[in-house]
Amino acid sequence: MVRLPLTPEEVERGQRLGALLRRARGERSMLDIALAARVSPETLRKIETGRVATPAFPTIAAIADVLGLSLDAVWAEISQSERATPPAGSGHRADLSFPQGVAAAG
């Protein structure tokens, strides 16, 4: 299976996600947060630096839970400056990674 290149919007959203997680983590250790979320510290580092622009939904849900962030708040923050959705058939992939209204289970 060939993975399509990321759109500029996906890259920007990934950078906003990384910045949000870094701010929420504050002075807490990346290692502590990663272990509590049951993800590798390398995965968390890549997400925080924007190198993984479209992480798996369960990964973000776990990290958000450890950081005390609701998924609604995460979605609102990372989608705040997105451009209008391109028309169907324009060659852009649809993003289904954070459906609006999904809340973290707790």
Side-chain angles (χ1 to χ4, degrees):
M1 176 188 228
V2 175
R3 181 177 170 110
L4 296 173
L6 297 175
T7 66
E9 291 81 12
E10 289 171 322
V11 172
E12 290 173 20
R13 189 171 44 245
Q15 291 169 343
R16 287 191 301 272
L17 174 62
L20 170 64
L21 297 179
R22 277 192 309 278
R23 285 192 313 271
R25 184 167 57 84
E27 296 298 316
R28 292 178 281 182
S29 154
M30 184 180 288
L31 178 62
D32 290 343
I33 299 301
L35 293 176
R38 302 182 75 105
V39 300
S40 74
E42 180 67 9
T43 295
L44 180 55
R45 185 184 67 76
K46 286 180 180 179
I47 294 169
E48 283 191 358
T49 59
R51 287 188 52 214
V52 176
T54 56
F57 181 83
T59 301
I60 295 307
I63 295 168
D65 184 51
V66 169
L67 293 174
L69 298 171
S70 76
L71 292 178
D72 286 333
V74 171
W75 177 250
E77 175 86 16
I78 68 171
S79 65
Q80 67 183 348
S81 62
E82 285 185 347
R83 298 178 204 147
T85 303
S90 67
H92 294 278
R93 297 183 300 172
D95 180 18
L96 304 175
S97 52
F98 282 107
Q100 196 161 7
V102 174

